[in-house]
C-alpha cells in the first residue's frame, strides 16, 4: 500500500514550489467581474448634464458672436456705460456689455456641468456620507476655481478687444 501524498494547502500565491500542483484554474485565468452597471438614474443624470452643458456652451458661443458682431458695428464693450437707466446708453451698448460678462460666465458654467457629469458615476458608487463630503469639497473647489476662471476669461476678453479694438471697426 502506497502512502497518499500530503495535500498542500491552497495559497493565493499559487502552488508551493515542489508541491503538488493545483488542478483548479488560477484566479488570474478567470475573467474579472465587470464593474457593476450604474443605476438608471446615474445614466439619466449624465445625459441631462451633457445636454445642459451643450445648451449652455452654445449660448456662450452665441453671446460671443453677438459681441463680435456688435464690435464690428462699432459698439465695443465697455464704451457705452451699459447701465439700463442711463439716458445716453442704447440697447446695443447694454447688450454688448452684458454679453461681455455673460459669455465667460456661461463658458465656466458649461465646464462645471461637464465636471459634474464626469464625477457622477464615481459619486454614485460611494456611501452616502462619503458622497456628501466629496460633493461639498468638490463644490467649494469648483467655486473658487470658477471665480478665477471667469476673472481670467474676462481679463483676456478685454485684452483681446483692446488689442483688436481699433482694427475691428
Amino acid at each position: 500500500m502506497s502512502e497518499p501524498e500530503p495535500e498542500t494547502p491552497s495559497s493565493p500565491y499559487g502552488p508551493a514550489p515542489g508541491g503538488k500542483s493545483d488542478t483548479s484554474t488560477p484566479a488570474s485565468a478567470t475573467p474579472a467581474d465587470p464593474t457593476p452597471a450604474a443605476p438608471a438614474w446615474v445614466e439619466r443624470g449624465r445625459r441631462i448634464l451633457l445636454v445642459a452643458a451643450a445648451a449652455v456652451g452654445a449660448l456662450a458661443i452665441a453671446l460671443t458672436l453677438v459681441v463680435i458682431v456688435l464690435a464690428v458695428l462699432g459698439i465695443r464693450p465697455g464704451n457705452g456705460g451699459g447701465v439700463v437707466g442711463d439716458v445716453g446708453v442704447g440697447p446695443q451698448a447694454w447688450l454688448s456689455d452684458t454679453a461681455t460678462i455673460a459669455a465667460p460666465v456661461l463658458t465656466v458654467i458649461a465646464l462645471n456641468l461637464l465636471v459634474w457629469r464626469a464625477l457622477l458615476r464615481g459619486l454614485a458608487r460611494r456611501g452616502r456620507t462619503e458622497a456628501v463630503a466629496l460633493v461639498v469639497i468638490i463644490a467649494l473647489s469648483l467655486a473658487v476655481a470658477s471665480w478665477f476662471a471667469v476673472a481670467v476669461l474676462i481679463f483676456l476678453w478685454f485684452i483681446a478687444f483692446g488689442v483688436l479694438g481699433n482694427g475691428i471697426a
Side-chain angles (χ1 to χ4, degrees):
M1 220 182 192
S2 67
E3 292 183 29
E5 290 185 32
E7 288 190 30
T8 57
S10 64
S11 167
Y13 305 108
K20 185 178 174 184
S21 63
D22 190 12
T23 58
S24 66
T25 58
S28 62
T30 60
D33 291 333
T35 57
W41 66 268
V42 172
E43 294 306 319
R44 188 172 47 247
R46 285 175 51 85
R47 280 192 308 271
I48 290 170
L49 286 172
L50 182 63
V51 169
V56 172
L59 184 59
I61 291 170
L63 284 176
T64 301
L65 293 175
V66 165
V67 171
I68 291 170
V69 167
L70 289 174
V72 168
L73 295 174
I75 303 167
R76 292 187 185 87
N79 289 348
V83 180
V84 176
D86 286 350
V87 176
V89 175
Q92 297 91 357
W94 177 83
L95 179 62
S96 176
D97 291 346
T98 302
T100 299
I101 302 298
V105 169
L106 289 174
T107 302
V108 171
I109 289 172
L111 291 174
N112 281 336
L113 289 171
L114 290 176
V115 167
W116 285 112
R117 179 183 185 272
L119 294 172
L120 194 57
R121 277 191 192 140
L123 288 173
R125 289 187 200 123
R126 308 273 184 217
R128 180 166 289 176
T129 307
E130 188 179 6
V132 168
L134 283 172
V135 165
V136 169
I137 291 169
I138 292 168
L140 291 174
S141 301
L142 275 177
V144 171
S146 296
W147 187 87
F148 282 114
V150 167
V152 167
L153 285 173
I154 291 174
F155 178 73
L156 292 175
W157 185 266
F158 280 111
I159 292 291
F161 273 102
V163 169
L164 300 174
N166 293 334
I168 289 179

